Amino acid sequence: MTKSAPDALPDLLTFCDGSAVTSAADWQRRREEISRLIVNIEYGGLPSTPGTTSLEVLHRARVCGDNSPHFVSCRVQTGPEAPFSFLLTLTIPQGDGPFPVVINGDACWRYVTDEVAGYVTDRGFILAQFNRVEIASDIHSAARDHGIYLAYPNGTYGALAAWAWGYHRCVDALITQPFVDPSRIAITGHSRGGKTVLLAGATDDRIALTTANNSGAGGAGCFRHQGPNSETLAGICHNFPHWFGPELEAYGGRENELPFDQHFLKALHAPRALLTMEALEDLWANPSGTWLTHCAATAVYDLLNVPDRINVTFRDGTHKHSPADWLRFLDVMEWQLCGKPKPADLGPNPFSG
Ligand code: GTR
């Protein structure tokens, strides 16, 4: 599975000064240490939080006919010092709510078909979609001369952090709305969008469930353990330098010197619900390394007595965010946030046991 055994992963339950984390109160302090390390070194920090965020409704229509969900186009607007805005579309089920919400920022990929949107509203959930590249471009050579970089010029944050900030602003705006249940907000994204939601969920306690699909390197995948044909730290920094902060690249080939690995990012979600979804033929996304970060992060969920809140699923097949993935995610959301029973089938796991 590995070319050579990786050094042990950095211990989540030991403070930087060597003392042990033994209680939930300790974990809150350790969480701050961990958050500073990984968010700053890997992602270049986050853009600052605006003083205000508002939601302006621009258009409202029925999806198809009188009894169908509402399709609402909105603008998320930050202010007052650093005005920046982007579009958010809401597909809202019939009824008065308040409804749980699923936020997805991958509108640039258009894989959320009408069928998938219907799956979300059929469960009684709002689907909230935005296009993360409105916030920061995903062109590889992108200079910091556009979008959020103009409104929030300070810092060294990369595009993943800028996109994660977009999720945070959607949450700001949505929780002010009477038709939204602020205690049941889920976020989901695929691949680079999965890396984004892991960072967004790790840094915002208002998000009750984070689901990253096939997120790989810089997401759920382990830097120290490279499964066959998986993406390396050096490779991803070379090909996508604009995604990360400037410090990460130096760890290419020196992964064992990183003061974290991706189990830190996962553990930052605890005790909130986390689901990472992997595909067994998506070797580039390092499914076996994802299993390692999952196992390591469970230590924190166990400490907090919520072992069921962290889950990983594997399915056959390749890299995609398929309708079947959405159905599995929605089953887990109903389990984690709505009191429904645990789904009977979470897929095969060739790595356990
Ligand atoms: C790949 C990249 C992966 C993953 C993927 C995607 O080319 O190497 O890390 O993010 O793109 O986002 O589709």
Side-chain angles (χ1 to χ4, degrees), residues 215-290:
S215 58
C222 189
F223 283 129
R224 283 169 174 75
H225 167 96
Q226 295 289 158
N229 301 323
S230 59
E231 186 172 28
T232 62
L233 188 154
I236 200 169
C237 287
H238 176 76
N239 292 325
F240 303 99
H242 64 294
W243 286 355
F244 299 100
E247 288 184 52
L248 185 66
E249 189 182 9
Y251 291 93
R254 301 170 36 216
E255 289 79 0
N256 285 334
E257 294 173 39
L258 269 177
F260 57 82
D261 211 311
Q262 296 304 95
H263 59 311
F264 276 32
L265 193 65
K266 288 185 168 181
L268 287 171
H269 294 78
R272 293 167 294 122
L274 174 64
L275 171 67
T276 48
M277 303 182 72
E278 310 303 327
L280 292 170
E281 289 167 50
D282 184 11
L283 297 181
W284 190 241
N286 196 4
S288 57
T290 295

Coordinates of all heavy atoms in Angstrom, one line a residue, residues 215-290:
S215 N -12.0 14.3 -2.1 CA -11.3 15.6 -1.9 C -9.8 15.5 -2.0 O -9.1 16.4 -2.4 CB -11.7 16.2 -0.6 OG -11.4 15.4 0.5
G216 N -9.2 14.3 -1.7 CA -7.8 14.0 -2.0 C -6.8 14.9 -1.3 O -7.0 15.4 -0.2
A217 N -5.7 15.1 -2.0 CA -4.6 15.9 -1.4 C -5.1 17.3 -1.1 O -5.8 18.0 -1.8 CB -3.4 16.0 -2.4
G218 N -4.7 17.8 0.1 CA -5.1 19.1 0.6 C -6.5 19.0 1.1 O -7.1 20.1 1.5
G219 N -7.1 17.8 1.1 CA -8.5 17.6 1.6 C -8.4 16.5 2.6 O -7.7 16.6 3.6
A220 N -9.1 15.4 2.3 CA -9.1 14.3 3.3 C -7.9 13.4 3.2 O -7.7 12.5 4.0 CB -10.4 13.5 3.1
G221 N -7.2 13.5 2.1 CA -6.0 12.6 1.9 C -4.9 12.9 2.8 O -4.7 14.0 3.2
C222 N -4.0 11.9 3.0 CA -2.9 12.0 3.9 C -1.7 12.4 3.1 O -1.4 11.8 2.1 CB -2.6 10.7 4.6 SG -1.5 10.7 5.9
F223 N -0.9 13.4 3.6 CA 0.3 13.8 2.9 C 1.4 12.8 3.1 O 2.2 12.5 2.3 CB 0.8 15.2 3.3 CG 0.0 16.3 2.7 CD1 -0.5 17.3 3.5 CD2 -0.2 16.4 1.4 CE1 -1.2 18.4 3.0 CE2 -0.9 17.5 0.8 CZ -1.4 18.5 1.6
R224 N 1.5 12.2 4.4 CA 2.6 11.3 4.7 C 2.4 10.0 4.0 O 3.4 9.3 3.8 CB 2.7 11.2 6.2 CG 3.4 12.3 6.9 CD 3.2 12.2 8.4 NE 3.9 13.2 9.2 CZ 3.5 14.4 9.3 NH1 2.5 14.9 8.6 NH2 4.2 15.3 10.0
H225 N 1.2 9.5 3.9 CA 1.0 8.2 3.3 C 0.4 8.4 1.8 O -0.7 8.9 1.7 CB -0.1 7.4 4.1 CG -0.6 6.2 3.4 ND1 -0.1 5.0 3.6 CD2 -1.6 6.1 2.5 CE1 -0.7 4.1 2.8 NE2 -1.6 4.8 2.1
Q226 N 1.3 8.0 0.9 CA 0.8 8.1 -0.5 C 0.5 6.7 -1.0 O 1.3 5.9 -1.2 CB 2.0 8.6 -1.4 CG 2.4 10.1 -1.1 CD 1.4 11.1 -1.5 OE1 1.4 12.2 -1.0 NE2 0.5 10.8 -2.4
G227 N -0.8 6.5 -1.2 CA -1.2 5.2 -1.9 C -0.7 5.2 -3.3 O -0.2 6.3 -3.8
P228 N -0.8 4.1 -4.0 CA -0.3 4.1 -5.4 C -1.0 5.1 -6.3 O -2.2 5.3 -6.2 CB -0.7 2.6 -5.9 CG -1.6 2.0 -4.8 CD -1.4 2.8 -3.6
N229 N -0.2 5.8 -7.1 CA -0.7 6.8 -8.1 C -1.4 7.9 -7.5 O -2.3 8.5 -8.1 CB -1.5 6.1 -9.2 CG -0.8 5.0 -9.9 OD1 0.4 5.2 -10.2 ND2 -1.4 3.9 -10.2
S230 N -1.1 8.2 -6.2 CA -1.9 9.4 -5.6 C -1.1 10.7 -5.8 O 0.1 10.7 -6.0 CB -2.1 9.0 -4.1 OG -0.9 8.9 -3.4
E231 N -1.8 11.8 -5.7 CA -1.3 13.1 -5.9 C -0.4 13.5 -4.6 O -0.8 13.3 -3.5 CB -2.4 14.1 -6.0 CG -2.0 15.5 -6.4 CD -3.2 16.4 -6.7 OE1 -4.3 16.1 -6.2 OE2 -3.0 17.3 -7.5
T232 N 0.8 14.0 -4.9 CA 1.7 14.4 -3.8 C 1.6 15.8 -3.5 O 1.1 16.6 -4.3 CB 3.2 14.1 -4.3 OG1 3.4 15.0 -5.4 CG2 3.4 12.7 -4.7
L233 N 2.2 16.2 -2.3 CA 2.2 17.6 -1.9 C 3.0 18.4 -2.9 O 2.5 19.5 -3.3 CB 2.8 17.7 -0.5 CG 2.8 19.0 0.2 CD1 2.8 18.8 1.7 CD2 3.9 20.0 -0.2
A234 N 4.1 17.9 -3.4 CA 4.9 18.7 -4.3 C 4.1 18.9 -5.6 O 4.1 20.0 -6.2 CB 6.2 18.0 -4.6
G235 N 3.5 17.8 -6.1 CA 2.7 17.9 -7.3 C 1.6 18.9 -7.3 O 1.4 19.7 -8.2
I236 N 0.8 18.8 -6.2 CA -0.3 19.7 -6.2 C 0.1 21.2 -6.0 O -0.5 22.0 -6.6 CB -1.3 19.3 -5.0 CG1 -2.7 19.9 -5.3 CG2 -0.9 19.6 -3.7 CD1 -3.8 19.3 -4.4
C237 N 1.2 21.4 -5.3 CA 1.7 22.8 -5.1 C 2.2 23.3 -6.5 O 2.1 24.5 -6.8 CB 2.7 22.9 -4.0 SG 2.0 22.7 -2.4
H238 N 2.8 22.4 -7.2 CA 3.4 22.8 -8.5 C 2.2 23.1 -9.5 O 2.3 24.1 -10.2 CB 4.2 21.7 -9.1 CG 4.8 22.0 -10.5 ND1 5.8 22.9 -10.7 CD2 4.4 21.5 -11.7 CE1 6.0 23.0 -12.0 NE2 5.2 22.2 -12.6
N239 N 1.2 22.2 -9.5 CA 0.2 22.4 -10.5 C -0.9 23.4 -10.2 O -1.5 24.0 -11.0 CB -0.5 21.0 -10.8 CG 0.4 20.1 -11.5 OD1 1.2 20.4 -12.3 ND2 0.3 18.8 -11.1
F240 N -1.1 23.6 -8.9 CA -2.2 24.5 -8.4 C -1.6 25.4 -7.3 O -2.2 25.4 -6.2 CB -3.4 23.7 -7.9 CG -3.9 22.7 -8.9 CD1 -3.6 21.4 -8.8 CD2 -4.8 23.1 -9.9 CE1 -4.1 20.5 -9.7 CE2 -5.3 22.2 -10.8 CZ -4.9 20.9 -10.7
P241 N -0.6 26.2 -7.6 CA 0.0 27.0 -6.5 C -1.0 28.0 -6.0 O -0.9 28.4 -4.8 CB 1.1 27.7 -7.3 CG 0.8 27.7 -8.7 CD 0.0 26.4 -8.9
H242 N -2.0 28.4 -6.8 CA -2.9 29.5 -6.3 C -3.9 28.9 -5.3 O -4.6 29.7 -4.7 CB -3.7 30.1 -7.5 CG -4.5 29.1 -8.2 ND1 -4.0 28.1 -8.9 CD2 -5.9 29.1 -8.3 CE1 -5.1 27.4 -9.5 NE2 -6.2 28.0 -9.1
W243 N -4.0 27.6 -5.1 CA -4.9 27.1 -4.1 C -4.5 27.3 -2.6 O -5.3 27.3 -1.7 CB -5.2 25.6 -4.3 CG -6.0 25.2 -5.5 CD1 -6.6 26.1 -6.4 CD2 -6.2 23.9 -6.0 NE1 -7.2 25.4 -7.4 CE2 -7.0 24.0 -7.2 CE3 -5.8 22.6 -5.6 CZ2 -7.4 22.9 -7.9 CZ3 -6.3 21.5 -6.3 CH2 -7.1 21.7 -7.5
F244 N -3.2 27.3 -2.4 CA -2.6 27.2 -1.1 C -2.0 28.5 -0.6 O -1.8 29.4 -1.4 CB -1.7 26.0 -1.0 CG -2.3 24.7 -1.4 CD1 -2.2 24.2 -2.6 CD2 -3.1 24.0 -0.4 CE1 -2.8 23.0 -3.0 CE2 -3.7 22.8 -0.7 CZ -3.6 22.3 -2.0
G245 N -1.5 28.5 0.6 CA -0.7 29.6 1.1 C 0.8 29.4 0.7 O 1.1 28.3 0.3
P246 N 1.6 30.4 0.8 CA 2.9 30.3 0.3 C 3.9 29.4 1.0 O 4.9 29.0 0.5 CB 3.4 31.8 0.3 CG 2.5 32.5 1.3 CD 1.2 31.7 1.3
E247 N 3.5 29.0 2.3 CA 4.5 28.2 3.1 C 4.4 26.7 2.7 O 5.3 25.9 3.1 CB 4.2 28.3 4.5 CG 4.6 29.7 5.1 CD 4.3 29.7 6.6 OE1 4.8 28.8 7.3 OE2 3.6 30.7 7.1
L248 N 3.3 26.2 2.1 CA 3.1 24.8 2.0 C 4.2 24.1 1.1 O 4.7 23.0 1.4 CB 1.7 24.4 1.5 CG 1.4 22.9 1.5 CD1 1.3 22.4 2.9 CD2 0.0 22.7 0.7
E249 N 4.4 24.7 0.0 CA 5.3 24.1 -1.0 C 6.6 23.6 -0.5 O 7.2 22.6 -0.9 CB 5.5 25.2 -2.1 CG 6.2 24.7 -3.3 CD 6.4 25.8 -4.4 OE1 6.3 27.0 -4.0 OE2 6.8 25.5 -5.5
A250 N 7.2 24.3 0.5 CA 8.5 24.0 1.0 C 8.5 22.6 1.7 O 9.6 22.0 1.9 CB 8.9 25.0 2.1
Y251 N 7.3 22.0 2.0 CA 7.3 20.7 2.6 C 7.2 19.6 1.5 O 7.1 18.4 1.9 CB 6.1 20.6 3.5 CG 6.2 21.5 4.8 CD1 5.8 22.8 4.8 CD2 6.9 21.0 5.9 CE1 6.0 23.6 5.9 CE2 7.1 21.8 7.0 CZ 6.6 23.1 7.0 OH 6.8 23.8 8.1
G252 N 7.3 19.9 0.3 CA 7.3 18.9 -0.8 C 8.5 18.0 -0.6 O 9.6 18.5 -0.5
G253 N 8.3 16.7 -0.5 CA 9.4 15.8 -0.2 C 9.9 15.7 1.3 O 10.8 14.9 1.6
R254 N 9.3 16.6 2.1 CA 9.6 16.6 3.5 C 8.4 16.6 4.3 O 8.2 17.2 5.4 CB 10.3 18.0 3.9 CG 11.6 18.3 3.1 CD 12.0 19.7 3.4 NE 11.7 20.2 4.7 CZ 11.3 21.5 5.0 NH1 11.2 22.4 4.0 NH2 11.1 21.8 6.2
E255 N 7.4 15.7 3.8 CA 6.1 15.7 4.5 C 6.2 15.3 6.0 O 5.4 15.8 6.8 CB 5.2 14.7 3.8 CG 4.7 15.1 2.4 CD 5.8 14.9 1.3 OE1 6.9 14.4 1.6 OE2 5.5 15.2 0.1
N256 N 7.2 14.5 6.3 CA 7.3 14.1 7.7 C 7.7 15.3 8.6 O 7.6 15.2 9.9 CB 8.3 13.0 7.9 CG 7.7 11.7 7.4 OD1 6.5 11.5 7.4 ND2 8.5 10.7 6.9
E257 N 8.1 16.4 8.0 CA 8.4 17.6 8.9 C 7.2 18.5 9.0 O 7.2 19.5 9.8 CB 9.5 18.4 8.2 CG 10.9 17.6 8.3 CD 11.9 18.3 7.5 OE1 12.0 19.6 7.5 OE2 12.7 17.6 6.8
L258 N 6.1 18.2 8.3 CA 4.9 19.1 8.5 C 4.4 18.9 9.9 O 4.4 17.8 10.5 CB 3.8 18.5 7.6 CG 3.5 19.0 6.2 CD1 2.4 18.3 5.6 CD2 3.2 20.5 6.2
P259 N 4.1 20.0 10.6 CA 3.6 19.9 12.0 C 2.2 19.4 12.1 O 1.5 19.5 13.1 CB 3.8 21.3 12.5 CG 3.7 22.2 11.3 CD 4.3 21.4 10.2
F260 N 1.6 19.0 11.0 CA 0.2 18.5 10.9 C 0.1 17.5 9.8 O 1.0 17.3 9.0 CB -0.8 19.6 10.7 CG -0.5 20.4 9.5 CD1 -0.9 20.0 8.2 CD2 0.3 21.6 9.5 CE1 -0.6 20.7 7.1 CE2 0.6 22.3 8.3 CZ 0.1 21.8 7.1
D261 N -1.0 16.8 9.7 CA -1.4 16.1 8.5 C -2.9 16.4 8.4 O -3.5 17.1 9.2 CB -1.0 14.7 8.4 CG -0.7 14.2 7.0 OD1 -1.5 14.5 6.1 OD2 0.4 13.6 6.7
Q262 N -3.6 15.8 7.4 CA -5.0 16.2 7.2 C -5.9 15.6 8.2 O -7.1 16.1 8.3 CB -5.4 15.8 5.8 CG -4.6 16.5 4.7 CD -4.6 18.0 4.8 OE1 -3.7 18.6 5.4 NE2 -5.7 18.6 4.3
H263 N -5.5 14.8 9.1 CA -6.4 14.4 10.3 C -6.6 15.6 11.2 O -7.6 15.7 11.9 CB -5.8 13.2 11.0 CG -4.5 13.4 11.6 ND1 -3.4 13.9 10.9 CD2 -4.0 13.2 12.9 CE1 -2.3 14.0 11.7 NE2 -2.7 13.6 12.9
F264 N -5.7 16.6 11.1 CA -6.0 17.8 11.9 C -7.2 18.5 11.4 O -8.0 19.0 12.1 CB -4.7 18.7 11.8 CG -3.6 18.4 12.8 CD1 -3.4 17.1 13.2 CD2 -2.8 19.5 13.3 CE1 -2.3 16.9 14.1 CE2 -1.8 19.2 14.2 CZ -1.5 17.9 14.6
L265 N -7.3 18.6 10.1 CA -8.4 19.3 9.5 C -9.7 18.6 9.8 O -10.7 19.3 10.1 CB -8.2 19.4 8.0 CG -9.1 20.4 7.2 CD1 -8.8 21.8 7.6 CD2 -8.9 20.2 5.7
K266 N -9.7 17.3 9.7 CA -10.9 16.5 10.1 C -11.3 16.8 11.5 O -12.4 17.0 11.8 CB -10.6 15.1 9.8 CG -10.6 14.7 8.3 CD -10.5 13.2 8.1 CE -10.7 12.9 6.6 NZ -10.6 11.4 6.4
A267 N -10.3 16.7 12.4 CA -10.6 16.7 13.9 C -11.2 18.1 14.2 O -11.9 18.2 15.2 CB -9.3 16.4 14.7
L268 N -10.8 19.1 13.5 CA -11.3 20.5 13.8 C -12.9 20.5 13.7 O -13.5 21.5 14.3 CB -10.7 21.5 12.9 CG -9.3 21.9 13.2 CD1 -8.7 22.8 12.1 CD2 -9.1 22.6 14.5
H269 N -13.5 19.6 13.0 CA -15.0 19.6 13.0 C -15.6 19.1 14.2 O -16.8 19.3 14.5 CB -15.4 18.7 11.8 CG -15.0 19.2 10.4 ND1 -13.8 19.1 9.9 CD2 -15.7 19.9 9.5 CE1 -13.7 19.7 8.7 NE2 -14.9 20.2 8.5
A270 N -14.9 18.3 15.0 CA -15.5 17.6 16.2 C -16.0 18.7 17.2 O -15.3 19.7 17.4 CB -14.5 16.8 16.9
P271 N -17.1 18.5 17.8 CA -18.0 17.3 17.8 C -19.1 17.3 16.7 O -20.0 16.5 16.7 CB -18.7 17.4 19.2 CG -18.9 18.8 19.4 CD -17.6 19.5 18.8
R272 N -18.9 18.3 15.8 CA -19.9 18.4 14.7 C -19.7 17.2 13.7 O -18.7 16.6 13.7 CB -19.8 19.7 14.0 CG -20.2 20.9 14.9 CD -19.8 22.2 14.3 NE -18.4 22.4 14.3 CZ -17.7 22.6 13.2 NH1 -18.4 22.8 12.0 NH2 -16.4 22.8 13.2
A273 N -20.7 17.0 12.9 CA -20.7 15.8 12.0 C -19.8 16.0 10.8 O -19.8 17.1 10.2 CB -22.1 15.5 11.5
L274 N -19.1 15.0 10.4 CA -18.2 15.0 9.3 C -18.3 13.7 8.5 O -18.3 12.6 9.1 CB -16.7 15.1 9.8 CG -15.6 15.1 8.7 CD1 -15.8 16.2 7.7 CD2 -14.2 15.0 9.3
L275 N -18.5 13.9 7.2 CA -18.5 12.7 6.3 C -17.6 13.0 5.1 O -17.6 14.0 4.5 CB -20.0 12.6 5.8 CG -20.2 11.6 4.6 CD1 -19.9 10.1 5.1 CD2 -21.6 11.7 4.1
T276 N -16.6 12.0 4.9 CA -15.8 12.1 3.7 C -16.1 10.9 2.9 O -16.3 9.8 3.4 CB -14.3 12.2 4.1 OG1 -14.0 11.2 5.0 CG2 -13.9 13.5 4.7
M277 N -16.3 11.2 1.6 CA -16.8 10.1 0.6 C -15.7 9.9 -0.4 O -15.3 10.8 -1.1 CB -18.1 10.6 0.0 CG -19.2 10.9 1.0 SD -20.8 11.4 0.3 CE -21.3 9.8 -0.3
E278 N -15.3 8.6 -0.6 CA -14.2 8.3 -1.5 C -14.7 7.3 -2.5 O -15.6 6.5 -2.3 CB -13.1 7.7 -0.6 CG -12.7 8.6 0.6 CD -12.3 10.0 0.2 OE1 -11.7 10.2 -0.9 OE2 -12.6 10.9 1.0
A279 N -13.9 7.2 -3.6 CA -14.1 6.2 -4.6 C -12.9 5.3 -4.8 O -11.8 5.8 -4.9 CB -14.4 6.9 -6.0
L280 N -13.1 4.0 -4.8 CA -11.9 3.1 -4.7 C -11.0 3.1 -6.0 O -9.8 2.8 -5.9 CB -12.4 1.7 -4.5 CG -13.1 1.5 -3.1 CD1 -13.8 0.2 -2.9 CD2 -12.0 1.7 -2.0
E281 N -11.6 3.5 -7.1 CA -10.7 3.6 -8.3 C -10.1 5.0 -8.5 O -9.4 5.3 -9.4 CB -11.5 3.2 -9.6 CG -11.8 1.7 -9.6 CD -12.8 1.4 -10.7 OE1 -12.6 1.9 -11.9 OE2 -13.8 0.8 -10.4
D282 N -10.5 5.9 -7.6 CA -9.9 7.3 -7.7 C -8.6 7.3 -6.9 O -8.5 8.0 -5.8 CB -11.0 8.3 -7.1 CG -10.6 9.7 -7.2 OD1 -9.6 10.0 -7.9 OD2 -11.3 10.6 -6.5
L283 N -7.6 6.7 -7.4 CA -6.3 6.5 -6.7 C -5.7 7.9 -6.5 O -5.0 8.1 -5.5 CB -5.4 5.5 -7.5 CG -6.0 4.1 -7.6 CD1 -5.0 3.2 -8.3 CD2 -6.3 3.5 -6.2
W284 N -5.9 8.8 -7.5 CA -5.2 10.1 -7.4 C -5.6 10.8 -6.1 O -4.9 11.5 -5.5 CB -5.7 10.9 -8.6 CG -5.0 12.2 -8.9 CD1 -5.6 13.5 -8.9 CD2 -3.6 12.4 -9.1 NE1 -4.7 14.4 -9.1 CE2 -3.5 13.8 -9.3 CE3 -2.5 11.6 -9.3 CZ2 -2.2 14.4 -9.6 CZ3 -1.3 12.2 -9.6 CH2 -1.2 13.5 -9.7
A285 N -6.9 10.5 -5.6 CA -7.4 11.2 -4.4 C -7.0 10.4 -3.2 O -7.4 10.7 -2.1 CB -8.9 11.3 -4.5
N286 N -6.2 9.3 -3.3 CA -5.5 8.6 -2.2 C -6.5 8.0 -1.2 O -6.5 8.4 0.0 CB -4.6 9.6 -1.5 CG -3.6 9.0 -0.5 OD1 -3.5 7.8 -0.4 ND2 -2.8 9.8 0.1
P287 N -7.4 7.1 -1.6 CA -8.4 6.6 -0.7 C -7.8 5.9 0.5 O -8.3 6.0 1.6 CB -9.2 5.6 -1.5 CG -8.5 5.4 -2.9 CD -7.6 6.6 -3.0
S288 N -6.6 5.2 0.3 CA -6.1 4.5 1.5 C -5.5 5.5 2.5 O -5.6 5.3 3.7 CB -5.0 3.5 1.1 OG -4.0 4.1 0.4
G289 N -5.0 6.6 2.0 CA -4.5 7.7 2.9 C -5.6 8.4 3.6 O -5.5 8.9 4.7
T290 N -6.8 8.4 2.9 CA -8.0 9.0 3.6 C -8.4 8.2 4.7 O -8.9 8.7 5.8 CB -9.1 9.2 2.5 OG1 -8.6 10.1 1.5 CG2 -10.4 9.6 3.1

